[in-house]
Every structure is written in structure tokens, then in C-alpha cells.
């Protein structure tokens, strides 16, 4: 009886060891999927918002108007954006971490707004009207802002 028990234990140990080695090998063999880097809030997103949305008087910076309730200065911007309620769209978030389709600010920047949801941003600080052609860097919304939101909108 003891010999059979020892043999069973040895066989069980061998099977577990082989499975562990096989699983370890499967994780390192073959091509690995490319790692998608999430754009940086501090390096990629915030500077564009600062330059285009927070510097002029009446905008989202040092000298807002009474109707502006979004502070995009560096010390406040992340908390004011991510998972913060949108004022012009009931039940929506300004930036819904991980969900670009549910992020109101993405709609503000791309101009896909409904009635009474305000103006496409940014606006011309002199006239208060949306620009005919956005001053945002080309592909900012598509290649930086949207992937940052989709990547969980980290404070990185």
C-alpha cells in the first residue's frame, strides 16, 4: 500500500511540475501583443487645454466669467474633469474615465452637441463664438484626448 501511495504522490508531483513549466513557457513563447501607451494627462492633455482653454480672459483659467464653472488651471484641472458631472448635460460626466462615448467634454471639443448644451470649444476669446477652424493641434482629439479617456483617464 505504501509503495502505491508513494508512486501516486510522485506521479502527481511530476504532473504538477510539468503543467507549471508548460504554463510558464506559454507566457513567454511567441510574439507578444504591442503595449498601448496611454497618453499623459500632464504632458499631452493638460498643456493643450491650458493653451487653448485657460489663458484668455473669460475662459477656464485665472479670469473666468460668472457663467464659467470649469477651472482648467494645473492645480484644479484633473479633479474638475475626470468623473465630474457635466453642467450642460444632465447625468453625464465631463470625462468618463474609460468611456469616451460617455464623455461630454469630448463632445464639446468635437462639436457633437445637442440643443442647449452650449458651444463647441474652444471659443474665440474676442468674440465668444466657436472658431471656424479649431485651434487645437491636428489630431489632438482623436490621437491624444480620446485614447487618454479610453485608457482610464489616468492622472499621469
Amino acid at each position: 500500500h505504501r509503495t502505491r501511495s508513494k508512486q501516486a504522490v510522485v506521479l502527481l508531483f511530476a504532473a504538477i511540475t510539468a503543467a507549471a513549466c508548460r504554463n510558464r513557457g506559454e507566457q513567454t513563447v511567441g510574439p507578444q501583443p504591442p503595449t498601448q501607451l496611454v497618453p499623459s494627462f500632464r504632458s499631452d492633455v493638460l498643456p493643450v487645454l491650458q493653451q487653448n482653454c485657460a489663458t484668455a480672459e473669460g475662459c477656464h483659467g485665472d479670469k473666468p466669467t460668472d457663467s464659467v464653472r470649469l477651472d482648467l488651471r494645473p492645480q484644479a484641472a484633473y479633479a474638475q474633469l475626470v468623473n465630474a458631472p457635466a453642467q450642460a448635460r444632465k447625468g453625464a460626466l465631463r470625462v468618463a474615465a474609460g468611456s469616451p462615448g460617455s464623455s461630454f467634454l469630448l463632445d464639446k471639443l468635437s462639436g457633437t452637441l445637442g440643443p442647449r448644451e452650449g458651444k463647441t470649444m474652444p471659443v474665440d476669446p474676442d468674440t465668444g463664438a466657436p472658431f471656424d477652424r479649431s485651434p487645437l493641434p491636428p489630431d489632438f482629439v482623436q490621437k491624444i484626448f480620446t485614447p487618454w479617456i479610453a485608457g482610464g483617464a489616468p492622472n499621469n
Side-chain angles (χ1 to χ4, degrees):
H1 234 73
R2 285 179 102 180
T3 305
R4 283 188 195 159
S5 294
K6 282 185 182 180
Q7 287 175 339
V9 169
V10 168
L11 287 174
L12 182 60
F13 180 77
I16 291 171
T17 302
C21 290
R22 184 172 55 248
N23 287 342
R24 194 174 330 144
E26 287 173 1
Q27 292 173 358
T28 58
V29 175
Q32 299 296 311
T35 303
Q36 290 285 1
L37 295 178
V38 176
S40 166
F41 178 71
R42 282 180 246 125
S43 299
D44 302 318
V45 175
L46 185 59
V48 172
L49 296 179
Q50 289 276 263
Q51 181 179 359
N52 293 282
C53 309
T55 55
E57 188 171 327
C59 290
H60 303 284
D62 290 329
K63 298 178 182 177
T65 62
D66 291 338
S67 64
V68 173
R69 292 184 185 94
L70 174 61
D71 186 348
L72 292 177
R73 292 175 290 181
Q75 66 277 14
Y78 186 82
Q80 291 265 318
L81 291 174
V82 179
N83 296 322
Q87 301 299 310
R89 185 182 288 165
K90 292 250 185 240
L93 298 175
R94 288 175 174 155
V95 171
S99 183
S102 299
S103 297
F104 182 64
L105 186 56
L106 187 58
D107 291 342
K108 290 288 277 186
L109 295 176
S110 62
T112 53
L113 299 168
R116 297 189 181 122
E117 289 186 341
K119 301 173 186 175
T120 299
M121 293 289 155
V123 296
D124 183 322
D126 296 327
T127 66
F131 287 100
D132 289 333
R133 191 162 182 230
S134 176
L136 297 175
D139 296 330
F140 169 75
V141 171
Q142 181 182 4
K143 293 188 177 178
I144 302 293
F145 197 64
T146 301
W148 171 72
I149 295 170
N155 190 4
N156 57 354

PDB file of all heavy atoms in Angstrom, residues 14-36:
ATOM      1  N   ALA A  14       4.972  15.098 -10.470  1.00  0.00           N
ATOM      2  CA  ALA A  14       5.504  15.226 -11.824  1.00  0.00           C
ATOM      3  C   ALA A  14       4.499  15.948 -12.727  1.00  0.00           C
ATOM      4  O   ALA A  14       4.868  16.798 -13.541  1.00  0.00           O
ATOM      5  CB  ALA A  14       5.860  13.855 -12.391  1.00  0.00           C
ATOM      6  N   ALA A  15       3.230  15.590 -12.595  1.00  0.00           N
ATOM      7  CA  ALA A  15       2.200  16.225 -13.419  1.00  0.00           C
ATOM      8  C   ALA A  15       2.081  17.713 -13.111  1.00  0.00           C
ATOM      9  O   ALA A  15       1.971  18.543 -14.019  1.00  0.00           O
ATOM     10  CB  ALA A  15       0.859  15.526 -13.208  1.00  0.00           C
ATOM     11  N   ILE A  16       2.116  18.065 -11.837  1.00  0.00           N
ATOM     12  CA  ILE A  16       2.017  19.473 -11.436  1.00  0.00           C
ATOM     13  C   ILE A  16       3.224  20.256 -11.938  1.00  0.00           C
ATOM     14  O   ILE A  16       3.097  21.358 -12.474  1.00  0.00           O
ATOM     15  CB  ILE A  16       1.859  19.602  -9.901  1.00  0.00           C
ATOM     16  CG1 ILE A  16       0.489  19.069  -9.491  1.00  0.00           C
ATOM     17  CG2 ILE A  16       2.051  21.045  -9.452  1.00  0.00           C
ATOM     18  CD1 ILE A  16       0.297  18.941  -8.000  1.00  0.00           C
ATOM     19  N   THR A  17       4.413  19.667 -11.810  1.00  0.00           N
ATOM     20  CA  THR A  17       5.640  20.332 -12.258  1.00  0.00           C
ATOM     21  C   THR A  17       5.617  20.544 -13.763  1.00  0.00           C
ATOM     22  O   THR A  17       5.946  21.620 -14.259  1.00  0.00           O
ATOM     23  CB  THR A  17       6.875  19.498 -11.844  1.00  0.00           C
ATOM     24  OG1 THR A  17       6.854  19.334 -10.431  1.00  0.00           O
ATOM     25  CG2 THR A  17       8.162  20.169 -12.265  1.00  0.00           C
ATOM     26  N   ALA A  18       5.195  19.521 -14.509  1.00  0.00           N
ATOM     27  CA  ALA A  18       5.128  19.636 -15.965  1.00  0.00           C
ATOM     28  C   ALA A  18       4.131  20.711 -16.381  1.00  0.00           C
ATOM     29  O   ALA A  18       4.392  21.504 -17.288  1.00  0.00           O
ATOM     30  CB  ALA A  18       4.749  18.287 -16.579  1.00  0.00           C
ATOM     31  N   ALA A  19       2.991  20.757 -15.726  1.00  0.00           N
ATOM     32  CA  ALA A  19       1.979  21.765 -16.055  1.00  0.00           C
ATOM     33  C   ALA A  19       2.499  23.166 -15.760  1.00  0.00           C
ATOM     34  O   ALA A  19       2.283  24.095 -16.542  1.00  0.00           O
ATOM     35  CB  ALA A  19       0.700  21.506 -15.271  1.00  0.00           C
ATOM     36  N   ALA A  20       3.190  23.325 -14.659  1.00  0.00           N
ATOM     37  CA  ALA A  20       3.731  24.636 -14.292  1.00  0.00           C
ATOM     38  C   ALA A  20       4.765  25.090 -15.311  1.00  0.00           C
ATOM     39  O   ALA A  20       4.778  26.247 -15.734  1.00  0.00           O
ATOM     40  CB  ALA A  20       4.324  24.596 -12.888  1.00  0.00           C
ATOM     41  N   CYS A  21       5.627  24.178 -15.725  1.00  0.00           N
ATOM     42  CA  CYS A  21       6.642  24.527 -16.717  1.00  0.00           C
ATOM     43  C   CYS A  21       5.991  24.868 -18.057  1.00  0.00           C
ATOM     44  O   CYS A  21       6.380  25.806 -18.733  1.00  0.00           O
ATOM     45  CB  CYS A  21       7.633  23.374 -16.903  1.00  0.00           C
ATOM     46  SG  CYS A  21       8.702  23.136 -15.460  1.00  0.00           S
ATOM     47  N   ARG A  22       4.990  24.097 -18.461  1.00  0.00           N
ATOM     48  CA  ARG A  22       4.310  24.330 -19.718  1.00  0.00           C
ATOM     49  C   ARG A  22       3.612  25.699 -19.694  1.00  0.00           C
ATOM     50  O   ARG A  22       3.728  26.481 -20.612  1.00  0.00           O
ATOM     51  CB  ARG A  22       3.295  23.218 -19.984  1.00  0.00           C
ATOM     52  CG  ARG A  22       2.624  23.341 -21.334  1.00  0.00           C
ATOM     53  CD  ARG A  22       1.750  22.149 -21.686  1.00  0.00           C
ATOM     54  NE  ARG A  22       0.752  21.876 -20.662  1.00  0.00           N
ATOM     55  CZ  ARG A  22       0.742  20.793 -19.875  1.00  0.00           C
ATOM     56  NH1 ARG A  22       1.677  19.885 -19.988  1.00  0.00           N
ATOM     57  NH2 ARG A  22      -0.203  20.614 -18.979  1.00  0.00           N
ATOM     58  N   ASN A  23       2.920  26.032 -18.594  1.00  0.00           N
ATOM     59  CA  ASN A  23       2.230  27.324 -18.490  1.00  0.00           C
ATOM     60  C   ASN A  23       3.217  28.480 -18.520  1.00  0.00           C
ATOM     61  O   ASN A  23       2.971  29.497 -19.124  1.00  0.00           O
ATOM     62  CB  ASN A  23       1.382  27.395 -17.218  1.00  0.00           C
ATOM     63  CG  ASN A  23       0.144  26.521 -17.321  1.00  0.00           C
ATOM     64  OD1 ASN A  23      -0.264  26.139 -18.401  1.00  0.00           O
ATOM     65  ND2 ASN A  23      -0.427  26.182 -16.178  1.00  0.00           N
ATOM     66  N   ARG A  24       4.346  28.314 -17.851  1.00  0.00           N
ATOM     67  CA  ARG A  24       5.345  29.370 -17.829  1.00  0.00           C
ATOM     68  C   ARG A  24       5.883  29.594 -19.234  1.00  0.00           C
ATOM     69  O   ARG A  24       6.054  30.709 -19.670  1.00  0.00           O
ATOM     70  CB  ARG A  24       6.481  29.006 -16.879  1.00  0.00           C
ATOM     71  CG  ARG A  24       7.360  30.176 -16.568  1.00  0.00           C
ATOM     72  CD  ARG A  24       8.401  29.879 -15.512  1.00  0.00           C
ATOM     73  NE  ARG A  24       7.960  28.887 -14.569  1.00  0.00           N
ATOM     74  CZ  ARG A  24       8.763  27.971 -14.027  1.00  0.00           C
ATOM     75  NH1 ARG A  24      10.039  27.951 -14.315  1.00  0.00           N
ATOM     76  NH2 ARG A  24       8.314  27.092 -13.173  1.00  0.00           N
ATOM     77  N   GLY A  25       6.109  28.512 -19.967  1.00  0.00           N
ATOM     78  CA  GLY A  25       6.609  28.618 -21.330  1.00  0.00           C
ATOM     79  C   GLY A  25       5.612  29.278 -22.257  1.00  0.00           C
ATOM     80  O   GLY A  25       5.968  30.032 -23.149  1.00  0.00           O
ATOM     81  N   GLU A  26       4.327  29.035 -22.062  1.00  0.00           N
ATOM     82  CA  GLU A  26       3.307  29.633 -22.914  1.00  0.00           C
ATOM     83  C   GLU A  26       3.260  31.143 -22.752  1.00  0.00           C
ATOM     84  O   GLU A  26       2.914  31.853 -23.682  1.00  0.00           O
ATOM     85  CB  GLU A  26       1.928  29.049 -22.575  1.00  0.00           C
ATOM     86  CG  GLU A  26       1.763  27.624 -23.053  1.00  0.00           C
ATOM     87  CD  GLU A  26       0.462  27.011 -22.566  1.00  0.00           C
ATOM     88  OE1 GLU A  26      -0.313  27.699 -21.886  1.00  0.00           O
ATOM     89  OE2 GLU A  26       0.239  25.842 -22.846  1.00  0.00           O
ATOM     90  N   GLN A  27       3.651  31.642 -21.608  1.00  0.00           N
ATOM     91  CA  GLN A  27       3.599  33.083 -21.385  1.00  0.00           C
ATOM     92  C   GLN A  27       4.749  33.815 -22.051  1.00  0.00           C
ATOM     93  O   GLN A  27       4.664  34.994 -22.306  1.00  0.00           O
ATOM     94  CB  GLN A  27       3.610  33.383 -19.886  1.00  0.00           C
ATOM     95  CG  GLN A  27       2.348  32.925 -19.192  1.00  0.00           C
ATOM     96  CD  GLN A  27       2.444  33.073 -17.688  1.00  0.00           C
ATOM     97  OE1 GLN A  27       3.466  33.490 -17.165  1.00  0.00           O
ATOM     98  NE2 GLN A  27       1.384  32.718 -16.999  1.00  0.00           N
ATOM     99  N   THR A  28       5.832  33.121 -22.368  1.00  0.00           N
ATOM    100  CA  THR A  28       6.999  33.811 -22.910  1.00  0.00           C
ATOM    101  C   THR A  28       7.296  33.444 -24.352  1.00  0.00           C
ATOM    102  O   THR A  28       8.111  34.070 -24.977  1.00  0.00           O
ATOM    103  CB  THR A  28       8.242  33.513 -22.046  1.00  0.00           C
ATOM    104  OG1 THR A  28       8.450  32.090 -22.024  1.00  0.00           O
ATOM    105  CG2 THR A  28       8.068  34.027 -20.649  1.00  0.00           C
ATOM    106  N   VAL A  29       6.663  32.417 -24.903  1.00  0.00           N
ATOM    107  CA  VAL A  29       6.943  31.980 -26.257  1.00  0.00           C
ATOM    108  C   VAL A  29       5.993  32.669 -27.221  1.00  0.00           C
ATOM    109  O   VAL A  29       4.817  32.842 -26.934  1.00  0.00           O
ATOM    110  CB  VAL A  29       6.789  30.431 -26.361  1.00  0.00           C
ATOM    111  CG1 VAL A  29       6.968  29.979 -27.797  1.00  0.00           C
ATOM    112  CG2 VAL A  29       7.783  29.743 -25.457  1.00  0.00           C
ATOM    113  N   GLY A  30       6.516  33.054 -28.373  1.00  0.00           N
ATOM    114  CA  GLY A  30       5.671  33.648 -29.401  1.00  0.00           C
ATOM    115  C   GLY A  30       5.622  35.160 -29.283  1.00  0.00           C
ATOM    116  O   GLY A  30       6.067  35.745 -28.300  1.00  0.00           O
ATOM    117  N   PRO A  31       5.079  35.802 -30.305  1.00  0.00           N
ATOM    118  CA  PRO A  31       5.014  37.271 -30.292  1.00  0.00           C
ATOM    119  C   PRO A  31       4.050  37.783 -29.232  1.00  0.00           C
ATOM    120  O   PRO A  31       3.009  37.190 -29.007  1.00  0.00           O
ATOM    121  CB  PRO A  31       4.528  37.627 -31.699  1.00  0.00           C
ATOM    122  CG  PRO A  31       3.859  36.381 -32.204  1.00  0.00           C
ATOM    123  CD  PRO A  31       4.525  35.215 -31.506  1.00  0.00           C
ATOM    124  N   GLN A  32       4.444  38.834 -28.601  1.00  0.00           N
ATOM    125  CA  GLN A  32       3.614  39.473 -27.577  1.00  0.00           C
ATOM    126  C   GLN A  32       2.843  40.615 -28.219  1.00  0.00           C
ATOM    127  O   GLN A  32       3.369  41.313 -29.089  1.00  0.00           O
ATOM    128  CB  GLN A  32       4.481  40.014 -26.431  1.00  0.00           C
ATOM    129  CG  GLN A  32       5.276  38.935 -25.702  1.00  0.00           C
ATOM    130  CD  GLN A  32       4.366  37.948 -25.001  1.00  0.00           C
ATOM    131  OE1 GLN A  32       3.467  38.344 -24.292  1.00  0.00           O
ATOM    132  NE2 GLN A  32       4.580  36.658 -25.233  1.00  0.00           N
ATOM    133  N   PRO A  33       1.598  40.841 -27.786  1.00  0.00           N
ATOM    134  CA  PRO A  33       0.848  41.968 -28.360  1.00  0.00           C
ATOM    135  C   PRO A  33       1.521  43.283 -27.992  1.00  0.00           C
ATOM    136  O   PRO A  33       2.099  43.401 -26.908  1.00  0.00           O
ATOM    137  CB  PRO A  33      -0.531  41.855 -27.704  1.00  0.00           C
ATOM    138  CG  PRO A  33      -0.343  41.005 -26.504  1.00  0.00           C
ATOM    139  CD  PRO A  33       0.858  40.142 -26.764  1.00  0.00           C
ATOM    140  N   PRO A  34       1.463  44.276 -28.895  1.00  0.00           N
ATOM    141  CA  PRO A  34       2.093  45.561 -28.568  1.00  0.00           C
ATOM    142  C   PRO A  34       1.377  46.223 -27.398  1.00  0.00           C
ATOM    143  O   PRO A  34       0.171  46.129 -27.263  1.00  0.00           O
ATOM    144  CB  PRO A  34       1.920  46.381 -29.843  1.00  0.00           C
ATOM    145  CG  PRO A  34       0.798  45.730 -30.578  1.00  0.00           C
ATOM    146  CD  PRO A  34       0.793  44.282 -30.167  1.00  0.00           C
ATOM    147  N   THR A  35       2.149  46.872 -26.563  1.00  0.00           N
ATOM    148  CA  THR A  35       1.593  47.589 -25.422  1.00  0.00           C
ATOM    149  C   THR A  35       1.151  48.968 -25.893  1.00  0.00           C
ATOM    150  O   THR A  35       1.924  49.698 -26.495  1.00  0.00           O
ATOM    151  CB  THR A  35       2.660  47.740 -24.311  1.00  0.00           C
ATOM    152  OG1 THR A  35       3.112  46.449 -23.961  1.00  0.00           O
ATOM    153  CG2 THR A  35       2.095  48.433 -23.104  1.00  0.00           C
ATOM    154  N   GLN A  36      -0.099  49.294 -25.641  1.00  0.00           N
ATOM    155  CA  GLN A  36      -0.607  50.612 -25.997  1.00  0.00           C
ATOM    156  C   GLN A  36      -0.287  51.567 -24.851  1.00  0.00           C
ATOM    157  O   GLN A  36      -0.691  51.324 -23.727  1.00  0.00           O
ATOM    158  CB  GLN A  36      -2.122  50.563 -26.215  1.00  0.00           C
ATOM    159  CG  GLN A  36      -2.539  49.818 -27.446  1.00  0.00           C
ATOM    160  CD  GLN A  36      -2.283  50.610 -28.726  1.00  0.00           C
ATOM    161  OE1 GLN A  36      -1.776  51.731 -28.705  1.00  0.00           O
ATOM    162  NE2 GLN A  36      -2.608  50.020 -29.835  1.00  0.00           N
TER     163      GLN A  36
END
